[in-house]
Amino acid sequence: MKQCRTFRKMKLRLYYRELEPDTARTLLRHLETCSGCRDEWRQLSLDMELLTERSRPDPGKAFWAGYWDKLAARMQRESRQAGGRKESRLNVGSPVVPVRLIQPVAAVCLLVLGIIIGRHFMPADSSPRSVDGSAGFVLSPQDARQQSVALLGQSKAMLLGFANFDAREGDISTLNVPLQREKSATMLKRASALRQQLRSPEDGRLERLLADLEFILLQIANLEDEDGNTAVEIIRSSVDERSILFKITLQEIKEARQPHDSGPPENSTV
Amino acid sequence: MPMEKQLIHRVLQGESAAFRDLVEQNQEKIYYLSLDLTGNHHDAEDLSQEVFIKAYRNLDQFRGESSFSSWLYKIAVNTNINRNRKKMTAVLKRSTSIEHAGDSWKSLSPDTNPEKQTDASLLRTHIDTALDRLSRNERCVFVLKHYQEFPLQEIALIMDVSVGTVKSTLFRAVRKMRKELASCRGKGEGEPR
Protein backbone atom coordinates (compact mmCIF):
# COMPACT_ATOMS: atom_id res chain seq x y z
CA MET A 1 0.00 0.00 0.00
CA LYS A 2 2.85 2.31 0.78
CA GLN A 3 4.28 1.67 -2.67
CA CYS A 4 0.86 2.38 -4.22
CA ARG A 5 0.86 5.78 -2.54
CA THR A 6 4.42 6.41 -3.69
CA PHE A 7 3.48 5.41 -7.23
CA ARG A 8 0.47 7.77 -7.31
CA LYS A 9 2.60 10.56 -6.03
CA MET A 10 5.39 9.96 -8.50
CA LYS A 11 3.71 8.61 -11.60
CA LEU A 12 4.03 11.85 -13.57
CA ARG A 13 7.70 12.10 -12.74
CA LEU A 14 8.02 8.47 -13.79
CA TYR A 15 6.24 9.23 -17.07
CA TYR A 16 8.57 12.16 -17.78
CA ARG A 17 11.60 10.13 -16.71
CA GLU A 18 12.45 12.60 -14.03
CA LEU A 19 13.12 10.04 -11.30
CA GLU A 20 16.39 8.66 -10.10
CA PRO A 21 17.04 5.32 -11.84
CA ASP A 22 16.75 3.34 -8.60
CA THR A 23 13.41 4.91 -7.69
CA ALA A 24 12.11 4.36 -11.22
CA ARG A 25 13.14 0.71 -11.15
CA THR A 26 11.41 0.21 -7.79
CA LEU A 27 8.17 1.72 -9.11
CA LEU A 28 8.28 -0.30 -12.32
CA ARG A 29 8.78 -3.48 -10.29
CA HIS A 30 5.77 -2.49 -8.23
CA LEU A 31 3.71 -2.14 -11.42
CA GLU A 32 4.47 -5.74 -12.29
CA THR A 33 2.85 -6.92 -9.09
CA CYS A 34 0.03 -4.39 -8.50
CA SER A 35 -2.84 -4.56 -10.96
CA GLY A 36 -4.49 -1.38 -9.60
CA CYS A 37 -1.41 0.76 -10.16
CA ARG A 38 -0.81 -0.95 -13.49
CA ASP A 39 -4.29 0.08 -14.66
CA GLU A 40 -3.65 3.58 -13.44
CA TRP A 41 -0.35 3.68 -15.33
CA ARG A 42 -2.03 2.39 -18.49
CA GLN A 43 -4.71 5.06 -18.18
CA LEU A 44 -2.10 7.75 -17.71
CA SER A 45 -0.25 6.60 -20.80
CA LEU A 46 -3.47 6.53 -22.80
CA ASP A 47 -4.43 10.02 -21.62
CA MET A 48 -1.04 11.40 -22.47
CA GLU A 49 -1.30 9.90 -25.92
CA LEU A 50 -4.67 11.56 -26.42
CA LEU A 51 -3.50 14.86 -25.05
CA THR A 52 -0.35 15.11 -27.05
CA GLU A 53 -1.37 13.57 -30.35
CA ARG A 54 -2.49 16.29 -32.66
CA SER A 55 -2.25 17.61 -36.15
CA ARG A 56 -1.92 21.20 -37.19
CA PRO A 57 -4.02 22.27 -40.12
CA ASP A 58 -1.82 23.69 -42.86
CA PRO A 59 -3.05 27.21 -43.58
CA GLY A 60 -2.23 26.65 -47.23
CA LYS A 61 0.24 27.79 -49.86
CA ALA A 62 -1.46 31.12 -50.37
CA PHE A 63 -1.03 31.93 -46.68
CA TRP A 64 2.69 31.19 -46.75
CA ALA A 65 3.17 32.98 -50.04
CA GLY A 66 1.53 36.12 -48.68
CA TYR A 67 3.00 35.92 -45.21
CA TRP A 68 5.86 38.35 -45.76
CA ASP A 69 3.72 40.88 -47.61
CA LYS A 70 1.16 40.95 -44.80
CA LEU A 71 3.87 41.20 -42.16
CA ALA A 72 5.69 43.96 -44.01
CA ALA A 73 2.45 45.89 -44.50
CA ARG A 74 1.72 45.64 -40.78
CA MET A 75 5.22 46.77 -39.92
CA GLN A 76 4.88 49.77 -42.17
CA ARG A 77 1.48 50.58 -40.70
CA GLU A 78 2.69 50.32 -37.12
CA SER A 79 5.80 52.27 -38.00
CA ARG A 80 3.70 55.10 -39.37
CA GLN A 81 1.48 55.06 -36.30
CA ALA A 82 4.52 55.10 -34.03
CA GLY A 83 6.08 57.99 -35.88
CA GLY A 84 8.50 55.87 -37.90
CA ARG A 85 11.35 54.03 -36.33
CA LYS A 86 13.45 51.12 -37.41
CA GLU A 87 10.90 49.72 -39.83
CA SER A 88 11.95 52.48 -42.17
CA ARG A 89 14.73 50.09 -43.15
CA LEU A 90 12.15 47.87 -44.79
CA ASN A 91 11.52 48.31 -48.45
CA VAL A 92 8.15 46.83 -49.26
CA GLY A 93 7.16 48.75 -52.29
CA SER A 94 5.86 51.97 -50.86
CA PRO A 95 8.47 54.52 -49.89
CA VAL A 96 7.97 55.64 -46.35
CA VAL A 97 10.02 58.44 -44.85
CA PRO A 98 10.05 58.46 -41.07
CA VAL A 99 8.91 61.68 -39.50
CA ARG A 100 12.33 62.46 -38.05
CA LEU A 101 13.82 62.33 -41.53
CA ILE A 102 11.27 64.60 -43.17
CA GLN A 103 13.14 67.85 -42.61
CA PRO A 104 16.53 66.71 -43.89
CA VAL A 105 14.86 64.94 -46.83
CA ALA A 106 12.91 68.09 -47.67
CA ALA A 107 16.11 70.15 -47.55
CA VAL A 108 17.86 67.77 -49.94
CA CYS A 109 14.83 67.74 -52.26
CA LEU A 110 14.83 71.54 -52.37
CA LEU A 111 18.51 71.59 -53.23
CA VAL A 112 18.03 69.08 -56.03
CA LEU A 113 15.05 71.03 -57.30
CA GLY A 114 17.20 74.15 -57.30
CA ILE A 115 19.85 72.43 -59.39
CA ILE A 116 17.28 71.14 -61.88
CA ILE A 117 15.69 74.58 -62.22
CA GLY A 118 19.11 76.18 -62.55
CA ARG A 119 20.15 73.80 -65.30
CA HIS A 120 16.95 73.94 -67.29
CA PHE A 121 15.82 77.53 -66.96
CA MET A 122 18.91 79.65 -66.39
CA PRO A 123 20.82 80.83 -69.48
CA ALA A 124 23.55 78.36 -70.13
CA ASP A 125 27.08 79.42 -70.67
CA SER A 126 28.03 77.63 -73.84
CA SER A 127 31.75 78.19 -73.50
CA PRO A 128 33.70 75.13 -72.45
CA ARG A 129 34.94 75.05 -68.89
CA SER A 130 38.00 73.70 -67.26
CA VAL A 131 37.73 71.24 -64.46
CA ASP A 132 37.80 73.98 -61.87
CA GLY A 133 34.87 75.70 -63.46
CA SER A 134 36.64 78.59 -65.18
CA ALA A 135 35.64 79.25 -68.75
CA GLY A 136 37.76 78.81 -71.80
CA PHE A 137 39.50 75.48 -71.24
CA VAL A 138 38.65 72.26 -73.04
CA LEU A 139 39.96 68.82 -72.12
CA SER A 140 40.57 66.13 -74.66
CA PRO A 141 38.00 63.31 -74.41
CA GLN A 142 40.68 60.98 -73.09
CA ASP A 143 41.81 63.46 -70.41
CA ALA A 144 38.22 64.15 -69.38
CA ARG A 145 37.66 60.46 -69.03
CA GLN A 146 40.85 59.87 -67.05
CA GLN A 147 40.17 62.76 -64.71
CA SER A 148 36.62 61.59 -64.18
CA VAL A 149 37.78 58.13 -63.22
CA ALA A 150 40.41 59.60 -60.93
CA LEU A 151 37.78 61.73 -59.24
CA LEU A 152 35.54 58.70 -58.75
CA GLY A 153 38.47 56.89 -57.16
CA GLN A 154 39.12 59.80 -54.80
CA SER A 155 35.50 59.92 -53.74
CA LYS A 156 35.44 56.24 -52.85
CA ALA A 157 37.20 56.60 -49.50
CA MET A 158 34.78 59.30 -48.43
CA LEU A 159 31.72 57.36 -49.59
CA LEU A 160 32.95 54.24 -47.82
CA GLY A 161 33.18 56.23 -44.60
CA PHE A 162 29.50 57.17 -44.89
CA ALA A 163 28.41 53.72 -46.10
CA ASN A 164 29.99 52.05 -43.08
CA PHE A 165 28.78 54.57 -40.55
CA ASP A 166 26.33 53.13 -38.02
CA ALA A 167 23.73 55.87 -37.86
CA ARG A 168 22.04 54.42 -34.80
CA GLU A 169 25.03 54.05 -32.55
CA GLY A 170 27.94 55.63 -34.37
CA ASP A 171 29.66 58.78 -33.24
CA ILE A 172 29.31 61.37 -36.00
CA SER A 173 32.49 63.13 -34.90
CA THR A 174 34.47 60.18 -36.27
CA LEU A 175 33.39 61.24 -39.76
CA ASN A 176 34.98 64.69 -39.40
CA VAL A 177 32.02 66.39 -41.05
CA PRO A 178 33.66 69.82 -41.65
CA LEU A 179 36.50 68.19 -43.59
CA GLN A 180 34.14 65.97 -45.59
CA ARG A 181 31.97 68.99 -46.37
CA GLU A 182 34.95 70.91 -47.71
CA LYS A 183 36.23 67.97 -49.76
CA SER A 184 32.75 67.36 -51.14
CA ALA A 185 32.35 70.95 -52.22
CA THR A 186 35.62 70.77 -54.14
CA MET A 187 34.82 67.42 -55.69
CA LEU A 188 31.34 68.58 -56.56
CA LYS A 189 32.78 71.45 -58.55
CA ARG A 190 35.14 69.14 -60.39
CA ALA A 191 32.48 66.51 -61.03
CA SER A 192 30.13 69.09 -62.46
CA ALA A 193 32.83 70.51 -64.75
CA LEU A 194 34.06 67.12 -65.86
CA ARG A 195 30.60 65.93 -66.67
CA GLN A 196 30.24 68.73 -69.19
CA GLN A 197 33.45 67.63 -70.86
CA LEU A 198 32.21 64.10 -71.38
CA ARG A 199 30.52 64.45 -74.71
CA SER A 200 31.33 61.18 -76.39
CA PRO A 201 28.40 58.71 -76.60
CA GLU A 202 30.51 55.92 -75.09
CA ASP A 203 31.01 58.07 -72.00
CA GLY A 204 27.30 57.99 -71.21
CA ARG A 205 27.71 55.54 -68.34
CA LEU A 206 30.57 57.53 -66.86
CA GLU A 207 28.53 60.71 -67.11
CA ARG A 208 25.59 59.11 -65.31
CA LEU A 209 27.96 57.87 -62.65
CA LEU A 210 29.32 61.38 -62.17
CA ALA A 211 25.76 62.66 -61.92
CA ASP A 212 25.05 60.13 -59.16
CA LEU A 213 28.22 61.17 -57.41
CA GLU A 214 27.26 64.83 -57.73
CA PHE A 215 23.96 64.14 -56.01
CA ILE A 216 25.66 62.50 -53.04
CA LEU A 217 28.45 65.08 -52.87
CA LEU A 218 25.80 67.75 -52.81
CA GLN A 219 24.20 66.09 -49.81
CA ILE A 220 27.54 65.88 -48.02
CA ALA A 221 28.51 69.44 -48.91
CA ASN A 222 25.30 70.65 -47.32
CA LEU A 223 25.60 68.54 -44.22
CA GLU A 224 25.20 70.69 -41.13
CA ASP A 225 26.86 69.82 -37.85
CA GLU A 226 23.52 69.90 -36.05
CA ASP A 227 21.87 67.53 -38.56
CA GLY A 228 23.52 64.65 -36.72
CA ASN A 229 23.18 60.99 -37.49
CA THR A 230 19.83 61.39 -39.24
CA ALA A 231 21.36 63.30 -42.13
CA VAL A 232 24.22 60.83 -42.33
CA GLU A 233 21.66 58.05 -42.55
CA ILE A 234 20.14 59.78 -45.59
CA ILE A 235 23.52 60.01 -47.27
CA ARG A 236 24.22 56.39 -46.43
CA SER A 237 20.87 55.43 -47.98
CA SER A 238 21.74 57.39 -51.13
CA VAL A 239 25.05 55.56 -51.41
CA ASP A 240 23.24 52.23 -50.94
CA GLU A 241 20.32 52.96 -53.23
CA ARG A 242 22.51 54.15 -56.07
CA SER A 243 25.00 51.30 -55.56
CA ILE A 244 27.56 53.93 -56.36
CA LEU A 245 30.50 52.18 -54.74
CA PHE A 246 29.81 49.11 -56.78
CA LYS A 247 29.46 51.14 -59.97
CA ILE A 248 32.72 52.98 -59.30
CA THR A 249 34.52 49.69 -58.82
CA LEU A 250 33.04 48.40 -62.08
CA GLN A 251 34.14 51.54 -63.86
CA GLU A 252 37.66 51.17 -62.47
CA ILE A 253 37.80 47.58 -63.65
CA LYS A 254 36.60 48.68 -67.07
CA GLU A 255 39.20 51.42 -67.22
CA ALA A 256 41.96 49.07 -66.15
CA ARG A 257 41.10 46.80 -69.04
CA GLN A 258 40.68 49.64 -71.52
CA PRO A 259 44.27 49.85 -72.91
CA HIS A 260 44.18 46.15 -73.82
CA ASP A 261 40.68 46.18 -75.23
CA SER A 262 40.88 49.38 -77.21
CA GLY A 263 44.50 49.49 -78.24
CA PRO A 264 45.37 50.07 -81.86
CA PRO A 265 44.40 47.11 -83.96
CA GLU A 266 47.33 45.04 -85.01
CA ASN A 267 47.86 44.21 -88.60
CA SER A 268 47.03 40.62 -89.01
CA THR A 269 48.54 38.42 -91.54
CA VAL A 270 46.52 35.58 -92.89
CA MET B 1 21.41 29.38 -47.37
CA PRO B 2 23.16 32.38 -45.90
CA MET B 3 24.21 31.97 -42.30
CA GLU B 4 21.77 33.32 -39.75
CA LYS B 5 24.37 35.63 -38.24
CA GLN B 6 25.22 37.08 -41.63
CA LEU B 7 21.56 37.74 -42.31
CA ILE B 8 21.17 39.44 -38.94
CA HIS B 9 24.25 41.55 -39.61
CA ARG B 10 22.86 42.55 -42.99
CA VAL B 11 19.52 43.54 -41.46
CA LEU B 12 21.33 45.67 -38.92
CA GLN B 13 23.14 47.31 -41.81
CA GLY B 14 19.76 48.24 -43.25
CA GLU B 15 19.29 45.52 -45.83
CA SER B 16 15.58 44.76 -45.68
CA ALA B 17 15.77 41.76 -48.00
CA ALA B 18 17.84 39.97 -45.39
CA PHE B 19 15.07 40.33 -42.80
CA ARG B 20 12.67 38.80 -45.28
CA ASP B 21 15.01 35.81 -45.53
CA LEU B 22 15.08 35.52 -41.74
CA VAL B 23 11.29 35.61 -41.60
CA GLU B 24 10.91 33.05 -44.34
CA GLN B 25 13.32 30.70 -42.61
CA ASN B 26 11.35 30.86 -39.36
CA GLN B 27 7.77 31.69 -40.27
CA GLU B 28 6.46 28.12 -40.14
CA LYS B 29 8.06 27.33 -36.78
CA ILE B 30 6.77 30.52 -35.23
CA TYR B 31 3.32 30.26 -36.77
CA TYR B 32 2.85 26.70 -35.52
CA LEU B 33 4.13 27.58 -32.06
CA SER B 34 1.68 30.47 -32.06
CA LEU B 35 -1.07 28.12 -33.16
CA ASP B 36 -0.24 25.79 -30.28
CA LEU B 37 -0.23 28.68 -27.87
CA THR B 38 -3.38 30.39 -29.04
CA GLY B 39 -5.42 27.52 -30.44
CA ASN B 40 -6.74 29.24 -33.54
CA HIS B 41 -5.45 30.43 -36.88
CA HIS B 42 -6.40 34.08 -36.56
CA ASP B 43 -4.64 34.61 -33.24
CA ALA B 44 -1.72 32.48 -34.37
CA GLU B 45 -1.16 34.67 -37.41
CA ASP B 46 -1.46 37.79 -35.30
CA LEU B 47 0.92 36.52 -32.62
CA SER B 48 3.48 35.25 -35.11
CA GLN B 49 3.52 38.61 -36.87
CA GLU B 50 3.96 40.37 -33.56
CA VAL B 51 6.91 38.11 -32.79
CA PHE B 52 8.69 39.10 -36.00
CA ILE B 53 7.94 42.77 -35.47
CA LYS B 54 9.39 42.63 -31.97
CA ALA B 55 12.37 40.70 -33.25
CA TYR B 56 12.98 43.33 -35.91
CA ARG B 57 12.72 46.19 -33.46
CA ASN B 58 15.04 44.53 -30.97
CA LEU B 59 17.40 42.77 -33.34
CA ASP B 60 20.33 44.78 -32.06
CA GLN B 61 19.71 43.18 -28.65
CA PHE B 62 20.11 39.66 -30.02
CA ARG B 63 23.49 38.56 -28.69
CA GLY B 64 23.72 35.28 -30.54
CA GLU B 65 24.04 33.27 -27.33
CA SER B 66 21.20 31.03 -28.47
CA SER B 67 19.97 30.28 -31.96
CA PHE B 68 17.85 32.94 -33.61
CA SER B 69 14.85 30.61 -33.63
CA SER B 70 15.17 30.01 -29.86
CA TRP B 71 15.20 33.76 -29.41
CA LEU B 72 12.03 34.00 -31.50
CA TYR B 73 10.44 31.26 -29.39
CA LYS B 74 11.24 33.26 -26.30
CA ILE B 75 9.63 36.35 -27.77
CA ALA B 76 6.57 34.32 -28.78
CA VAL B 77 6.14 32.84 -25.33
CA ASN B 78 6.60 36.14 -23.53
CA THR B 79 4.36 38.02 -25.94
CA ASN B 80 1.68 35.41 -25.51
CA ILE B 81 1.92 35.48 -21.73
CA ASN B 82 1.76 39.26 -21.64
CA ARG B 83 -1.24 39.56 -23.92
CA ASN B 84 -4.38 41.06 -22.59
CA ARG B 85 -6.20 38.79 -20.21
CA LYS B 86 -9.47 39.86 -21.70
CA LYS B 87 -8.46 37.94 -24.77
CA MET B 88 -8.02 34.87 -22.62
CA THR B 89 -11.61 35.15 -21.47
CA ALA B 90 -12.77 35.45 -25.06
CA VAL B 91 -10.78 32.39 -26.06
CA LEU B 92 -12.28 30.47 -23.18
CA LYS B 93 -15.79 31.33 -24.27
CA ARG B 94 -15.05 30.50 -27.87
CA SER B 95 -13.34 27.23 -27.11
CA THR B 96 -16.34 25.89 -25.25
CA SER B 97 -18.34 26.13 -28.42
CA ILE B 98 -18.78 22.83 -30.21
CA GLU B 99 -18.39 24.61 -33.53
CA HIS B 100 -14.66 24.92 -32.99
CA ALA B 101 -14.12 21.30 -32.23
CA GLY B 102 -11.84 19.35 -34.46
CA ASP B 103 -10.02 22.23 -36.06
CA SER B 104 -6.74 21.68 -34.42
CA TRP B 105 -6.76 18.14 -33.26
CA LYS B 106 -6.12 15.02 -35.20
CA SER B 107 -8.96 12.58 -35.37
CA LEU B 108 -8.52 10.40 -32.34
CA SER B 109 -10.06 7.36 -33.94
CA PRO B 110 -10.19 6.21 -37.52
CA ASP B 111 -13.54 4.62 -36.75
CA THR B 112 -16.22 5.46 -39.28
CA ASN B 113 -19.05 4.79 -36.90
CA PRO B 114 -20.94 8.12 -36.66
CA GLU B 115 -21.62 7.62 -32.97
CA LYS B 116 -18.00 6.99 -32.27
CA GLN B 117 -17.04 9.93 -34.45
CA THR B 118 -19.28 12.12 -32.35
CA ASP B 119 -17.58 10.76 -29.24
CA ALA B 120 -14.18 11.55 -30.71
CA SER B 121 -15.33 15.01 -31.69
CA LEU B 122 -16.63 15.60 -28.19
CA LEU B 123 -13.37 14.39 -26.75
CA ARG B 124 -11.44 16.78 -28.96
CA THR B 125 -13.64 19.60 -27.78
CA HIS B 126 -12.83 18.71 -24.19
CA ILE B 127 -9.11 18.59 -24.94
CA ASP B 128 -9.28 22.01 -26.59
CA THR B 129 -11.22 23.29 -23.62
CA ALA B 130 -8.74 21.75 -21.24
CA LEU B 131 -5.88 23.46 -23.04
CA ASP B 132 -7.71 26.77 -22.96
CA ARG B 133 -8.38 26.43 -19.27
CA LEU B 134 -4.73 26.16 -18.46
CA SER B 135 -3.02 29.29 -17.33
CA ARG B 136 -0.79 30.88 -19.96
CA ASN B 137 2.31 29.55 -18.27
CA GLU B 138 0.87 26.06 -17.97
CA ARG B 139 -0.17 26.07 -21.60
CA CYS B 140 3.24 27.36 -22.69
CA VAL B 141 5.08 24.65 -20.80
CA PHE B 142 2.74 21.92 -22.03
CA VAL B 143 2.94 23.09 -25.64
CA LEU B 144 6.71 23.50 -25.61
CA LYS B 145 7.15 20.08 -24.06
CA HIS B 146 4.62 18.05 -26.02
CA TYR B 147 4.05 19.83 -29.31
CA GLN B 148 7.44 21.46 -29.80
CA GLU B 149 9.30 18.65 -28.06
CA PHE B 150 11.75 20.84 -26.18
CA PRO B 151 13.64 19.36 -23.23
CA LEU B 152 12.69 20.82 -19.87
CA GLN B 153 16.02 22.63 -19.55
CA GLU B 154 15.43 24.52 -22.80
CA ILE B 155 11.87 25.37 -21.80
CA ALA B 156 13.31 26.84 -18.61
CA LEU B 157 15.66 29.00 -20.69
CA ILE B 158 12.91 30.12 -23.05
CA MET B 159 10.57 31.02 -20.21
CA ASP B 160 13.26 32.43 -17.97
CA VAL B 161 12.33 30.22 -15.02
CA SER B 162 14.02 27.37 -13.19
CA VAL B 163 13.76 23.77 -14.34
CA GLY B 164 11.96 22.99 -11.09
CA THR B 165 9.31 25.58 -11.93
CA VAL B 166 8.93 24.10 -15.40
CA LYS B 167 8.41 20.63 -13.92
CA SER B 168 5.84 21.70 -11.35
CA THR B 169 3.99 23.79 -13.96
CA LEU B 170 3.98 20.90 -16.42
CA PHE B 171 2.68 18.42 -13.86
CA ARG B 172 -0.04 20.85 -12.81
CA ALA B 173 -1.03 21.30 -16.44
CA VAL B 174 -1.19 17.57 -17.05
CA ARG B 175 -3.31 17.01 -13.94
CA LYS B 176 -5.78 19.68 -15.08
CA MET B 177 -5.98 18.25 -18.55
CA ARG B 178 -6.51 14.72 -17.33
CA LYS B 179 -9.23 15.99 -15.06
CA GLU B 180 -10.97 17.46 -18.09
CA LEU B 181 -10.59 14.19 -19.96
CA ALA B 182 -11.99 12.27 -17.02
CA SER B 183 -15.04 14.52 -16.84
CA CYS B 184 -15.50 13.90 -20.55
CA ARG B 185 -15.42 10.15 -20.15
CA GLY B 186 -17.79 10.57 -17.27
CA LYS B 187 -18.42 7.01 -16.31
CA GLY B 188 -16.39 4.86 -14.00
CA GLU B 189 -13.46 7.25 -13.95
CA GLY B 190 -11.93 8.49 -10.83
CA GLU B 191 -10.41 11.88 -10.80
CA PRO B 192 -6.82 11.61 -11.85
CA ARG B 193 -4.35 12.34 -9.17
Side-chain angles (χ1 to χ4, degrees):
Chain A
M1 288 301 280
K2 188 187 168 195
Q3 281 204 316
C4 292
R5 275 200 302 275
T6 309
F7 168 74
R8 281 179 192 139
K9 200 174 156 188
M10 296 194 163
K11 62 187 174 189
L12 276 179
R13 291 172 68 187
L14 181 65
Y15 178 83
Y16 285 107
R17 296 177 187 174
E18 290 292 327
L19 286 176
E20 292 295 320
D22 284 351
T23 316
R25 267 195 295 276
T26 307
L27 288 180
L28 289 171
R29 269 201 302 274
H30 170 68
L31 287 179
E32 287 171 12
T33 56
C34 177
S35 60
C37 287
R38 200 163 53 241
D39 287 346
E40 212 170 311
W41 178 249
R42 202 173 289 137
Q43 189 60 56
L44 171 68
S45 303
L46 183 67
D47 284 356
M48 294 310 291
E49 202 177 315
L50 289 175
L51 290 174
T52 58
E53 192 181 82
R54 73 196 299 266
S55 71
R56 292 141 160 171
D58 185 350
K61 279 183 184 172
F63 173 77
W64 295 121
Y67 189 88
W68 167 254
D69 289 339
K70 282 165 90 173
L71 173 65
R74 179 171 166 184
M75 290 174 88
Q76 293 283 5
R77 202 169 49 244
E78 291 189 5
S79 174
R80 275 197 294 271
Q81 284 166 0
R85 286 208 310 274
K86 292 180 185 175
E87 285 86 335
S88 61
R89 290 201 300 257
L90 281 182
N91 177 15
V92 289
S94 58
V96 174
V97 180
V99 170
R100 70 190 171 94
L101 297 184
I102 285 177
Q103 284 185 337
V105 167
V108 170
C109 289
L110 280 173
L111 275 167
V112 172
L113 188 66
I115 290 170
I116 293 168
I117 291 171
R119 284 190 181 157
H120 287 273
F121 299 103
M122 301 298 279
D125 183 358
S126 57
S127 59
R129 289 178 181 278
S130 70
V131 289
D132 62 358
S134 60
F137 188 82
V138 183
L139 289 172
S140 72
Q142 200 181 353
D143 283 349
R145 189 179 178 83
Q146 278 176 355
Q147 288 192 25
S148 299
V149 174
L151 177 66
L152 288 170
Q154 286 166 21
S155 68
K156 251 172 95 175
M158 179 197 282
L159 297 179
L160 272 170
F162 281 95
N164 292 324
F165 183 75
D166 183 349
R168 282 172 297 133
E169 289 179 2
D171 178 5
I172 195 169
S173 64
T174 59
L175 281 176
N176 195 351
V177 170
L179 177 69
Q180 306 294 354
R181 204 164 41 213
E182 199 183 315
K183 279 166 71 179
S184 293
T186 312
M187 283 196 229
L188 181 63
K189 235 177 184 178
R190 283 184 64 202
S192 175
L194 281 169
R195 203 152 64 82
Q196 291 182 38
Q197 302 272 345
L198 294 170
R199 297 178 186 280
S200 161
E202 61 262 30
D203 288 337
R205 185 188 291 178
L206 188 55
E207 195 190 344
R208 283 195 296 277
L209 191 47
L210 278 179
D212 278 346
L213 180 65
E214 265 185 73
F215 179 85
I216 294 163
L217 290 173
L218 189 67
Q219 287 182 323
I220 300 171
N222 287 284
L223 195 59
E224 295 293 339
D225 293 333
E226 60 270 21
D227 286 345
N229 291 13
T230 308
V232 177
E233 175 65 21
I234 295 173
I235 294 164
R236 202 180 66 79
S237 303
S238 297
V239 173
D240 279 354
E241 281 163 18
R242 286 160 194 267
S243 308
I244 192 157
L245 285 166
F246 178 65
K247 287 179 190 168
I248 291 174
T249 308
L250 277 184
Q251 189 67 39
E252 286 173 339
I253 292 168
K254 197 179 161 196
E255 287 302 316
R257 292 171 59 181
Q258 200 75 7
H260 308 289
D261 295 344
S262 59
E266 290 175 9
N267 292 330
S268 58
T269 51
V270 180
Chain B
M1 184 189 297
M3 294 283 290
E4 209 169 74
K5 281 185 182 171
Q6 287 174 345
L7 286 173
I8 291 165
H9 180 72
R10 282 164 53 196
V11 177
L12 291 172
Q13 295 296 311
E15 196 182 324
S16 59
F19 186 64
R20 181 178 187 157
D21 288 345
L22 278 174
V23 169
E24 285 175 351
Q25 280 176 19
N26 290 284
Q27 63 188 23
E28 285 195 33
K29 285 184 215 165
I30 298 303
Y31 167 79
Y32 282 121
L33 171 65
S34 302
L35 184 63
D36 291 339
L37 291 173
T38 62
N40 70 82
H41 168 74
H42 177 77
D43 288 340
E45 184 182 9
D46 189 53
L47 176 61
S48 66
Q49 284 182 355
E50 201 172 332
V51 170
F52 286 118
I53 291 170
K54 284 186 175 176
Y56 185 77
R57 285 179 181 158
N58 297 290
L59 197 58
D60 47 1
Q61 289 170 29
F62 175 64
R63 299 279 168 238
E65 287 156 0
S66 61
S67 70
F68 183 64
S69 58
S70 288
W71 190 61
L72 291 176
Y73 276 117
K74 193 166 186 166
I75 296 174
V77 166
N78 289 329
T79 304
N80 187 57
I81 287 171
N82 292 334
R83 281 189 159 201
N84 199 329
R85 291 200 173 271
K86 280 179 187 171
K87 207 164 187 179
M88 177 69 180
T89 315
V91 169
L92 256 177
K93 284 177 185 167
R94 187 173 61 241
S95 66
T96 51
S97 163
I98 192 80
E99 289 169 19
H100 290 267
D103 283 349
S104 55
W105 293 86
K106 193 186 276 183
S107 174
L108 298 175
S109 163
D111 210 311
T112 50
N113 181 326
E115 271 183 33
K116 285 190 178 177
Q117 276 187 337
T118 309
D119 286 348
S121 172
L122 196 61
L123 187 59
R124 284 198 299 273
T125 309
H126 278 268
I127 293 171
D128 273 349
T129 308
L131 259 180
D132 283 337
R133 283 187 179 161
L134 297 180
S135 74
R136 298 232 166 198
N137 279 336
E138 289 164 355
R139 182 170 183 141
C140 275
V141 172
F142 187 84
V143 156
L144 289 171
K145 175 67 188 163
H146 287 286
Y147 303 155
Q148 302 289 333
E149 295 173 354
F150 277 112
L152 298 180
Q153 285 79 4
E154 198 157 347
I155 298 173
L157 285 176
I158 289 172
M159 297 186 68
D160 240 346
V161 292
S162 68
V163 177
T165 304
V166 171
K167 281 183 199 173
S168 57
T169 309
L170 176 65
F171 297 164
R172 200 165 55 241
V174 169
R175 282 190 202 103
K176 281 188 185 178
M177 292 189 71
R178 290 192 72 216
K179 195 172 173 182
E180 188 65 32
L181 271 186
S183 73
C184 170
R185 286 193 206 96
K187 47 196 172 188
E189 281 291 339
E191 193 172 287
R193 282 158 290 196

